[in-house]
Amino acid sequence: MWGYLSLLPAFLAIWAVAGIWTVFALAVANKSVNLNEGFPYISICGSYPPQSCLFSQVLNMGAALAAWICILRYHQLQDWGVTRRFNQLILWTGLLSALGTSMVGNFQQKNQKPTHLTGAFLAFFVGILYFWLQLLLFWRKKNLPQPGSPWIGPLRLGLCTICTILMVDRRRDTDTQEEGYVKTEAEIGVMRLQANDCQQYQKLRGKTWNRFSLQPSEGTWPC
């Protein structure tokens, strides 16, 4: 019945993987990121031109495809006899996830971080909720004839579990990195203030020595 439309999820996966690795390759090639400092997030790679343009295009196209797939899935579940409220709940979580994906691409982390993080929350956390709802629906309807192979249910469970664990783990690492980043920025700020104070002190002492036509002896500078 669905014909070639059943290939849309596979096409979306290929598009996303190819596009993200292309953005990463461009960021490394033009030295927007330094691999010696650690493996960068794709949001950092996509924050700098020219790959930021490609990053936006990849995620916008991906968001459009994801929304299309969610709408097709809605009609498929409707034909399967799923209640309207639960079906609409699944649909709206999927559409919000697609919207978040587009926000991540259009509002780069470097330029608009709060909006970027909001989009990331919708894309990842609401997106994984969409798949958990699909899994819940699968188990609620397990007594009915299931479309597809029998191994799809256990596969969904495994993938949802892995994605949830990885997101929680990466969130903890992100908090640690941001804490270290804030600490590093504070240390740099203190060093700059100290350097500025040292320069001002040297200028003041230099004027004092020049007034009496004297030269400071070695070791008189405190900085």
Side-chain angles (χ1 to χ4, degrees):
M1 176 181 177
W2 298 99
Y4 67 92
L5 294 178
S6 61
L7 299 176
L8 280 177
F11 179 75
L12 173 59
I14 295 172
W15 171 266
V17 172
I20 287 175
W21 278 108
T22 303
V23 171
F24 172 77
L26 287 174
V28 174
N30 59 32
K31 299 181 180 180
S32 298
V33 295
N34 186 2
L35 295 182
N36 294 327
E37 298 176 356
F39 199 84
Y41 289 110
I42 191 62
S43 294
I44 298 176
C45 297
S47 294
Y48 303 93
Q51 64 268 12
S52 59
C53 304
L54 179 62
F55 183 62
S56 299
Q57 187 65 20
V58 167
L59 293 190
N60 284 331
M61 283 288 295
L65 287 172
W68 190 5
I69 292 170
C70 290
I71 294 172
L72 290 175
R73 180 63 173 171
Y74 172 82
H75 290 290
Q76 187 182 49
L77 295 179
Q78 192 176 42
D79 295 341
W80 196 26
V82 178
T83 58
R84 182 178 180 182
R85 288 187 177 181
F86 190 68
N87 199 7
Q88 287 183 345
L89 175 63
I90 295 176
L91 173 64
W92 282 108
T93 53
L95 293 179
L96 284 175
S97 177
L99 174 62
T101 303
S102 179
M103 292 172 62
V104 168
N106 292 321
F107 300 92
Q108 288 87 15
Q109 180 176 344
K110 179 183 176 183
N111 302 321
Q112 190 61 247
K113 189 174 182 179
T115 310
H116 181 86
L117 294 179
T118 302
F121 173 81
L122 293 175
F124 291 104
F125 288 90
V126 179
I128 195 64
L129 175 62
Y130 173 82
F131 292 111
W132 278 112
L133 289 174
Q134 294 282 355
L135 182 64
L136 176 62
L137 177 64
F138 175 84
W139 289 108
R140 286 181 59 180
K141 299 289 185 178
K142 62 182 180 180
N143 294 327
L144 298 178
Q146 298 286 336
S149 303
W151 50 265
I152 291 180
L155 178 62
R156 281 176 178 165
L157 177 61
L159 292 176
C160 288
T161 302
I162 292 173
C163 289
T164 303
I165 294 174
L166 289 176
M167 281 198 303
V168 172
D169 182 67
R170 295 309 298 172
R171 179 57 189 169
R172 189 186 307 124
D173 291 344
T174 301
D175 292 340
T176 303
Q177 290 179 1
E178 288 181 353
E179 181 181 353
Y181 175 78
V182 171
K183 182 178 179 181
T184 303
E185 287 294 311
E187 291 174 350
I188 293 174
V190 171
M191 292 173 63
R192 287 176 176 173
L193 288 174
Q194 291 176 345
N196 184 63
D197 292 342
C198 181
Q199 292 175 358
Q200 295 297 329
Y201 181 79
Q202 289 178 357
K203 290 180 180 179
L204 179 62
R205 290 298 299 270
K207 291 179 180 179
T208 304
W209 284 107
N210 290 333
R211 181 181 301 175
F212 295 98
S213 300
L214 297 173
Q215 294 296 328
S217 60
E218 184 179 358
T220 56
W221 302 115
C223 300

